[in-house]
Amino acid sequence: MGGRKRRGERGVPMPDITALRASCKAILLRHQRGLSLELPCIVCRQRVRGQESIMQHYVDAHGIHTTNCDNIVDLNGFLVHLRELLLFRDDERMHCPVCREDCGDEASLLEHIEKEGHSRWDIDTIPSLASFCMADVNKSEEAGEEEEDSANGTNVVESDDDGDDEDWGVEPAVCLLCDTASEDCLGHMIDAHGFDFRAAVRSHEGVQDVYDVIRIVNVIRKCVARGLCPFTYGDELAEAEACRCDVAASSLEEHLRNHPLHNLPRVVPSSDRELIPVLCADAFISSVVVGGDLLARGEEDPEYPMVPTNAEMAKKQTARRQSEGNA
């Protein structure tokens, strides 16, 4: 093989896994502090708090559609580079980043991009932005490198026989009741708070599917952040007032310890509003709820077996290592 990089179909280079993981980690870390980021608009200089909000500002205020922030590794570098293209002569005259035409002021720029259809500012229209985006982890190999052809002249993806050799790490999740991040968040909640989330969810009559569990997670996070009892979420009954008084007289943590059923909302909300994550890139939702086995599964169809999740693969790998260590 001579150390040659593996190629997929049609000779497209396989992604550099190390670079891909580093990029994903950078995006995740930025998401975790996304609500505290305050970024200036490169067009009007208005400061907007939150990475999602600044990208939406470009659409709403200027009709400009940029690369989705989930695909941008270096958001600050991305915006600085766009700003340099916009004012590439270090003067106050604005230039179209797509075609470099001198537009003059902001109004003329916006008129130009609408007329010429240059409202998309991404790696397709501005290739120099690629170095700040996920696309850059899949760079083409140096020109002239020979491709490895199979007997029938096509390229196939090479893969290891045992996918378990891949090191799938378990992403720490933030506790629903405190700020502790743990790889075993469910165990932490039992030990630190006496709260068995899995048992509580499975015994709740209102939980029908994983979407209900996601709603519950977001309700708990929202209530804990506000110091309110999750049990009476959305209620204005006398019991809600009683909970507020009890929390005020002691603490939310003590209230929930004394009333274990109050860790979950009495009624599971059904609106889509509660599906919006309270915590950006919430690993509890992605790893524990979606990737875990909180809800009992039906019998698996042998003709269509379920693909193992990252969490399941990590658990399997850990168990295998432990058995090898005990051998």
Side-chain angles (χ1 to χ4, degrees), residues 118-137:
H118 292 173
S119 60
R120 301 203 68 85
W121 294 2
D122 52 29
I123 60 175
D124 292 328
T125 58
I126 309 174
S128 57
L129 291 173
S131 59
F132 306 99
C133 302
M134 287 287 287
D136 198 45
V137 304

Side-chain angles (χ1 to χ4, degrees), residues 74-115:
D74 181 1
L75 181 59
N76 185 61
F78 181 93
L79 295 175
V80 168
H81 183 63
L82 272 179
R83 179 72 178 174
E84 291 173 347
L85 295 176
L86 197 64
L87 303 170
F88 75 96
R89 290 179 179 171
D90 293 328
D91 57 24
E92 294 302 317
R93 296 188 63 80
M94 292 189 171
H95 302 75
C96 174
V98 177
C99 67
R100 302 298 181 87
E101 179 172 330
D102 186 341
C103 299
D105 58 12
E106 178 184 333
S108 299
L109 170 70
L110 299 181
E111 181 180 352
H112 165 81
I113 63 176
E114 182 179 3
K115 178 182 178 181

Side-chain angles (χ1 to χ4, degrees), residues 275-287:
L275 291 175
I276 301 174
V278 173
L279 184 65
C280 288
D282 194 342
F284 192 93
I285 292 177
S286 60
S287 299

